[in-house]
Amino acid sequence: MEAVQKDHWYFVVLIFLPFLKVAVQQKDAVTVRLEEGMVFDCLCPWNGNLSMVSWTKIPDKEPIAVFHPEYGVAFSHHYRERIEFLRTTQMDGSISMRNVTHQDIGLYHCSVQTFPQGPWTRDIQVEDLDTPPEEDDSPEPTPEAIETDTELVAEPSDNLTISCNHEHNGTVYQVILEKMPRGQPWSIIGVCKKVEGGLVGEDYSDRGRVSCADSLDVSLHLTGVVPEDGGFYRCTFSTDAGVQTTTVLLTVPPPGGFSLSLYMMYIYIGAGAAVLVLFCVILTLALRHRKRNKREEYRVKLHPSQSQKWRQWQRQ
């Protein structure tokens, strides 16, 4: 009977041991700065047999990455080719993340499943410790008052790249790309900035892809242009010499409406027709003048008696 009671307590301890371990190991979230190549440490402090490591994003518990000693690694679509398991030791579930964006800010949960000790967890809070761009509460200028540096015209369904073409005057630390559709306020669609350890690009655009070069030359790639893509695009450069801006106006005529290529074709056809008509008029006048000159030369060469008959014939 005593042996049965001992076995009973033994199994009770095994059942509740994982929860006890989690309660002991669960601490306040560790804060990590949003930057390129950031590392999420998740190193289990005890030895044992590793069963699995899983990473999720809270609060939706979005699966991110899983490591299994036998089956390998698996990543969700959004994080594929962006996350790497470091695996410095057998019980290490740490990961690193690259190509980071503003959407990577949030709370991450790491769970290391071990045997026989049970699971060990850690929470990682990713924050943007840099000062975010401040919203400008000043009244928006009317489209007529906006000065543009470049004007572009694109046909519907075209592919187009909008570049700021900034002439660097000093060291650039951050570039904010904004769009102002006609009749609407400015909205941020992309941010590129330099942080310690690399370059961070935050892509807010759902219509195109914002690219950030190492020199912070920002460009927006649009595929299959639509009329709604038309409007003003503004790049604000924060440099050690102050704030500088570049503004681009994109015009996209609606289908069946004004077409620049068709308009230019009509101009070319009209100009060609006008040149042809002018050439025909000049040629006709030249032929008439030449014919008149030949008649005069023929009249001068005639005998006086024949010349008299020639004049009488012309009068008839």
Side-chain angles (χ1 to χ4, degrees):
M1 184 67 179
E2 183 179 355
V4 173
Q5 290 180 346
K6 288 183 178 181
D7 291 340
H8 172 75
W9 283 107
Y10 176 75
F11 284 108
V12 170
V13 171
L14 286 181
I15 292 173
F16 284 98
L17 180 60
F19 300 98
L20 294 175
K21 288 289 186 179
V22 170
V24 172
Q25 296 300 326
Q26 188 67 44
K27 299 179 180 179
D28 294 337
V30 177
T31 301
V32 173
R33 178 193 184 120
L34 177 69
E35 59 183 356
E36 182 65 18
M38 56 185 177
V39 175
F40 301 166
D41 288 321
C42 186
L43 179 61
C44 182
W46 59 71
N47 295 323
N49 295 319
L50 178 66
S51 301
M52 186 177 64
V53 178
S54 62
W55 282 91
T56 56
K57 190 174 183 181
I58 301 173
D60 300 330
K61 295 185 178 179
E62 176 188 2
I64 295 177
V66 175
F67 171 81
H68 192 279
E70 181 178 355
Y71 299 109
V73 297
F75 305 97
S76 65
H77 177 74
H78 181 67
Y79 296 93
R80 192 171 301 161
E81 297 182 357
R82 297 180 55 218
I83 286 182
E84 179 183 1
F85 278 95
L86 301 181
R87 302 291 298 152
T88 57
T89 65
Q90 182 181 358
M91 306 298 288
D92 187 8
S94 304
I95 59 174
S96 64
M97 183 181 295
R98 58 181 177 270
N99 297 333
V100 299
T101 68
H102 187 80
Q103 297 176 350
D104 293 322
I105 293 176
L107 183 63
Y108 296 81
H109 179 74
C110 172
S111 177
V112 180
Q113 304 292 329
T114 69
F115 182 83
Q117 290 90 339
W120 181 83
T121 63
R122 163 166 283 188
D123 290 339
I124 304 290
Q125 178 67 46
V126 178
E127 296 182 358
D128 188 355
L129 302 182
D130 294 334
T131 303
E134 296 181 358
E135 295 291 339
D136 188 3
D137 297 330
S138 59
E140 295 291 346
T142 60
E144 293 77 11
I146 298 177
E147 296 183 1
T148 57
D149 300 286
T150 306
E151 295 186 9
L152 303 175
V153 178
E155 297 293 329
S157 302
D158 283 352
N159 298 331
L160 179 69
T161 298
I162 300 176
S163 301
C164 290
N165 296 326
H166 174 67
E167 295 182 1
H168 298 294
N169 184 14
T171 303
V172 181
Y173 300 110
Q174 177 176 271
V175 183
I176 301 176
L177 177 59
E178 300 170 280
K179 178 185 178 183
M180 187 181 77
R182 296 185 182 275
Q184 300 182 24
W186 290 100
S187 60
I188 298 177
I189 61 175
V191 177
C192 299
K193 58 185 177 181
K194 289 183 179 180
V195 298
E196 183 178 356
L199 182 69
V200 174
E202 303 170 7
D203 191 350
Y204 301 91
S205 175
D206 57 354
R207 274 292 300 123
R209 179 172 56 87
V210 178
S211 297
C212 304
D214 291 337
S215 58
L216 289 187
D217 289 326
V218 181
S219 59
L220 173 65
H221 307 279
L222 297 175
T223 303
V225 172
V226 296
E228 290 74 17
D229 291 325
F232 292 93
Y233 293 83
R234 180 175 66 186
C235 290
T236 303
F237 295 83
S238 298
T239 72
D240 56 357
V243 177
Q244 305 170 27
T245 60
T246 301
T247 305
V248 178
L249 173 60
L250 173 62
T251 302
V252 183
F258 171 80
S259 174
L260 179 62
S261 59
L262 188 61
Y263 177 72
M264 295 303 297
M265 183 181 69
Y266 288 152
I267 290 180
Y268 293 146
I269 293 176
V275 171
L276 180 61
V277 171
L278 181 61
F279 175 76
C280 292
V281 171
I282 294 175
L283 181 61
T284 302
L285 294 176
L287 291 175
R288 288 182 178 179
H289 182 70
R290 183 178 180 184
K291 187 176 182 181
R292 185 180 299 110
N293 290 339
K294 285 186 176 181
R295 285 179 179 179
E296 291 296 329
E297 292 177 359
Y298 180 74
R299 183 182 62 82
V300 171
K301 293 179 180 179
L302 290 175
H303 191 271
S305 60
Q306 292 179 334
S307 178
Q308 181 67 24
K309 293 180 179 180
W310 170 261
R311 284 193 295 270
Q312 290 178 357
W313 178 80
Q314 281 187 326
R315 293 193 189 101
Q316 291 179 354

